[in-house]
Amino acid sequence: MDPMAHKEADGDVSRRRFFTSTAAASAGLALTPSLAEAVTHQGTPPAPDGFVDVTITFNGRRVLSCLTLAAAVNGKKVTTVEGLEHDGELHPVQEAFIECDGFQCGFCTSGQIMSAVALLREGRARTDDEVREAMSGNICRRGAYANIVDAVQQAHACGKAI
Amino acid sequence: MHAYDFATASDIRQATSSSGAFLAGGTTLVDLMKLGALRPDHVIDINSLPLRGIRTGRDGVHIGALERMSDLAIDRIIIGHYPVFAQALSVSASPQIRNMASIGGNLLQSTRCGYFRDVTTACNKRQPGSGCPTRTGDNREHAILGTSTSCVAMHASDAAVALMALDASVRLVGRDDERSVRLAEFYRLPGGSPDVENQLRPGELIAELILPKLDWARTSTYVKVRDRQSYEFALCSAAVALDVRGSRIRDARVAAGSPPSRPL
């Protein structure tokens, strides 16, 4: 059943009733599977080993889609990694990750890139240690951290708008 | 996840008249709903309520309960006047979680005890009377102060420890009344009913946090000991504020976290 199908207005408190299939129950109504259903490209994937990197941008800030109910973002702006490219051109952070080989299996990469974009916009790439601290919410099971830091610094130095 | 009703509250009276779980940042509620440890029939999104803002009054600083941790951590007033609080916020969780989490929700976050979070195990907090596996099981990160034979769950909030040292209060709003409670009295020790963690009544929510005026709170700091350098809960922590004049400490506030089952 389409989880957004049933909406009632009850005075000033709008109510929606949600039903989930058993298969979707574990991820339930968190944002990730709802977006995965909505977008054509699976840019924010669930990982087979259970680890999900789900950093997205919500109202201009980086957040975790796995802890965000789809219903709670109704009418708000959400950006996933697919939203970074512009007219077919990769975002400078995406280019830097490719050039610096900032990934191995790729499962954390969407979130690493989204976090990197955010921290550069926040002005938090003054040192490598600052980058590591600002990226501490993005874990890489394959240990690509050193190249990820290089990618962030390369994007920081490239002179292009982030 | 089980089926539930989702509603968005547009004013405080409707929120406090509803029954169900309040949703602010969602970093505790959605986490535990996905695990099945919390199964509310109704979820009420309170993010539109007018519970934001940082205001300095004669009695101290008033902070709306929906203010996000990341905003508070970089607020000049908090950094300048209550650095222990700013530090505690900045070593909490991760940047993403700090962007999502409200300070009110942070104070109410659930324990990180693995048995509470795992619905296949006994847990007196989640299911009163079912037992507590920590006695013979995993208990390395659990509380050692303020515990009972029913529960040794630790309270994970860094901010609460700092706020305890600052003798902060919370303003609680219910359907028919409101009241202020000192944080030191807000949290309950587990005793024989570890499922009752604080003084909130049904339908009540935290509207505001109040940091009392305390000039020497500027001389304060937060120390967090943990297994990892970042993005990790505390094994133990301390918030300290000192009234130093010349070479003498005239007064001190010390609060400890994680070994106690609630900040002490």
Side-chain angles (χ1 to χ4, degrees):
Chain A
M1 180 185 213
D2 177 357
M4 301 297 288
H6 187 70
K7 177 180 174 181
E8 302 164 354
D10 179 13
D12 290 335
V13 178
S14 64
R15 293 185 171 276
R16 300 178 204 103
R17 181 150 185 87
F18 291 91
F19 297 87
T20 61
S21 68
T22 307
S26 61
L29 299 169
L31 194 58
T32 311
S34 299
L35 279 183
E37 290 158 20
V39 301
T40 307
H41 304 291
Q42 300 287 320
T44 309
D49 60 0
F51 179 72
V52 193
D53 200 20
V54 290
T55 304
I56 58 165
T57 306
F58 169 48
N59 271 354
R61 299 189 183 205
R62 49 176 162 156
V63 297
L64 300 176
S65 61
C66 61
L67 295 182
T68 305
L69 293 179
V73 302
N74 191 31
K76 308 253 183 9
K77 179 174 176 173
V78 172
T79 306
T80 66
V81 71
E82 291 97 334
L84 291 182
E85 62 87 14
H86 184 68
D87 287 338
E89 281 201 21
L90 290 178
H91 188 281
V93 171
Q94 290 172 311
E95 287 177 343
F97 266 72
I98 293 170
E99 288 167 20
C100 295
D101 193 26
F103 48 85
Q104 197 217 55
C105 77
F107 270 104
C108 74
T109 309
S110 308
Q112 301 285 0
I113 289 172
M114 294 302 288
S115 256
V117 170
L119 84 86
L120 288 167
R121 289 177 181 167
E122 291 159 18
R124 297 176 64 186
R126 287 165 291 195
T127 64
D128 283 358
D129 275 348
E130 189 176 33
V131 171
R132 291 187 193 99
E133 176 58 37
M135 297 283 286
S136 65
N138 293 85
I139 294 176
C140 175
R141 188 68 178 80
R142 319 306 178 205
Y145 297 115
N147 288 4
I148 290 170
V149 173
D150 287 346
V152 175
Q153 295 293 31
Q154 177 163 311
H156 180 48
C158 77
K160 297 182 189 171
I162 304 293
Chain B
M1 205 185 284
H2 63 295
Y4 59 94
D5 274 336
F6 183 90
T8 303
S10 54
D11 68 58
I12 294 171
R13 183 163 178 79
Q14 279 164 349
T16 53
S17 301
S18 310
S19 66
F22 293 130
L23 173 71
T27 53
T28 286
L29 182 62
V30 178
D31 176 34
L32 293 175
M33 283 174 70
K34 289 169 75 175
L35 291 172
L38 286 179
R39 301 171 61 89
D41 292 323
H42 307 281
V43 172
I44 299 139
D45 184 337
I46 60 168
N47 289 294
S48 301
L49 298 185
L51 300 177
R52 296 190 192 242
I54 304 169
R55 178 177 61 84
T56 303
R58 259 195 246 156
D59 59 341
V61 174
H62 294 242
I63 300 171
L66 289 178
E67 281 294 321
R68 269 31 189 182
M69 291 171 68
S70 55
D71 291 327
L72 297 178
I74 61 172
D75 181 81
R76 289 178 187 273
I77 295 173
I78 294 172
I79 292 173
H81 292 265
Y82 307 97
V84 61
F85 182 33
Q87 289 168 23
L89 289 164
S90 62
V91 297
S92 299
S94 70
Q96 292 93 315
I97 293 171
R98 294 196 293 270
N99 280 344
M100 300 166 75
S102 66
I103 187 60
N106 177 273
L107 299 180
L108 296 175
Q109 70 180 273
S110 289
T111 182
R112 296 303 298 183
C113 170
Y115 299 111
F116 172 75
R117 293 170 58 79
D118 182 353
V119 297
T120 68
T121 68
C123 170
N124 284 327
K125 185 183 283 289
R126 183 170 30 80
Q127 278 185 303
S130 62
C132 177
T134 60
R135 193 175 291 274
T136 55
D138 176 29
N139 53 34
R140 173 177 181 260
E141 294 163 25
H142 288 68
I144 57 176
L145 301 172
T147 61
S148 73
T149 52
S150 295
C151 186
V152 294
M154 58 300 204
H155 196 284
S157 167
D158 297 295
V161 181
L163 292 170
M164 194 74 86
L166 296 172
D167 198 20
S169 298
V170 285
R171 183 165 65 86
L172 310 177
V173 175
R175 195 182 70 174
D176 300 314
D177 65 354
E178 63 177 72
R179 57 198 178 115
S180 273
V181 179
R182 289 174 63 232
L183 209 58
E185 290 149 14
F186 177 72
Y187 290 115
R188 297 185 49 165
L189 291 174
S193 52
D195 53 312
V196 184
E197 297 178 335
N198 54 58
Q199 303 288 351
L200 280 176
R201 298 171 189 150
E204 236 178 1
L205 51 72
I206 298 178
E208 194 179 51
L209 174 68
I210 302 147
L211 307 182
K213 184 170 161 50
L214 184 68
D215 289 336
W216 50 270
R218 293 176 198 240
T219 317
S220 64
T221 194
Y222 185 71
V223 176
K224 182 173 184 177
V225 177
R226 48 183 168 175
D227 286 330
R228 278 204 302 236
Q229 192 171 330
S230 187
Y231 193 21
E232 181 59 83
F233 291 91
L235 288 174
C236 63
S237 66
V240 179
L242 297 177
D243 181 6
V244 180
R245 307 210 196 158
S247 58
R248 303 190 73 178
I249 298 173
R250 294 193 48 164
D251 204 350
R253 300 265 185 87
V254 180
S258 270
S261 53
R262 46 147 261 198
L264 288 179

